[in-house]
Amino acid sequence: MHSGMQSPRGVWWKPAHRSEKVWFSIAFAWCLVLFAMMPFWHWKGGQNPSGIRSRVDPADFRARVSEFIAAYKVGEENGYPIVEPPPGSDIYMMGQMWSWTPILKLKKGVEYTLHISSVDVNHGFTLYPINVNFQVVPGYDYGLRVTPTEAGEFRIICNEFCGIGHHLMLGKVIVTDQNGEIPGETAVSGKATP
Ligand code: CUA
């Protein structure tokens, strides 16, 4: 019988071999490097939000989105409004279970301030196939400064589980080129909604 009160049997307490010490030192040094990278990427990585965060009541945000749609609506697709705001303006995207409203029609090379928020639970904004990811949190308005760099049609996918309809939570951004045209169907064509 063995208990914690007795010394363990065996030879595990022999001094560590030199190679073991070397590997331990390398691993420890690497831990410190990775630790230092966290603040480093915060300043140098370019992945931080490009805008200003402010608080917003979900009901107020919904009202602003409705105003925005009413002002610049140019069409409709599967019941979702297509909105073409003037270049350089403040634009709005509302996440809710389980849709992204409206469909934005933007111009390539023009900077907009994208106000994005949720009116119910957390959602995740992913622009596909571009690597853009953003947490969309109710009660906060993120004024992100965005400049579309590529013309085409892009899907918005929700990447934060938000209930039974999470996988159906799709949206769309249309980017026109300098001539106001959309280049032929992209890799993300298809007839998903909206
Ligand atoms: Cu919204 Cu998942």
Side-chain angles (χ1 to χ4, degrees):
M1 292 304 115
H2 189 76
S3 87
M5 303 302 291
Q6 296 165 311
S7 296
R9 272 175 250 146
V11 290
W12 64 270
W13 61 88
K14 273 186 183 166
H17 188 262
R18 193 177 155 271
S19 62
E20 199 176 346
K21 285 181 185 164
V22 168
W23 278 117
F24 181 82
S25 304
I26 291 171
F28 185 70
W30 187 240
C31 284
L32 294 180
V33 169
L34 293 178
F35 182 70
M37 291 307 270
M38 287 192 279
F40 177 78
W41 285 121
H42 177 76
W43 298 113
K44 288 284 173 196
Q47 83 279 40
N48 298 335
S50 60
I52 318 126
R53 189 182 67 170
S54 61
R55 289 212 67 116
V56 67
D57 185 70
D60 293 344
F61 190 81
R62 185 189 287 277
R64 274 185 228 168
V65 173
S66 300
E67 263 175 55
F68 171 67
I69 292 170
Y72 304 119
K73 185 173 164 179
V74 293
E76 222 171 81
E77 193 180 307
N78 299 324
Y80 287 85
I82 302 173
V83 175
E84 188 171 6
S89 62
D90 285 49
I91 61 176
Y92 291 84
M93 177 63 69
M94 177 174 74
Q96 63 182 328
M97 292 185 278
W98 291 282
S99 63
W100 299 99
T101 317
I103 298 172
L104 290 172
K105 195 171 178 187
L106 308 176
K107 275 208 162 57
K108 182 182 166 181
V110 174
E111 189 185 87
Y112 299 87
T113 304
L114 171 63
H115 294 272
I116 188 163
S117 190
S118 160
V119 292
D120 40 45
V121 299
N122 266 33
H123 297 285
F125 176 94
T126 296
L127 197 60
Y128 183 85
I130 310 283
N131 185 19
V132 173
N133 284 286
F134 206 76
Q135 275 287 326
V136 182
V137 182
Y140 288 95
D141 171 0
Y142 294 89
L144 301 170
R145 292 187 196 88
V146 295
T147 305
T149 54
E150 213 180 296
E153 288 193 3
F154 303 91
R155 294 258 159 238
I156 303 170
I157 297 168
C158 182
N159 64 25
E160 185 70 50
F161 183 72
C162 56
I164 196 79
H166 162 68
H167 62 291
L168 300 171
M169 188 166 166
L170 302 170
K172 194 181 194 176
V173 175
I174 302 163
V175 179
T176 58
D177 61 20
Q178 272 77 7
N179 308 318
E181 281 163 16
I182 307 158
E185 291 293 293
T186 61
V188 285
S189 64
K191 283 281 162 263
T193 43

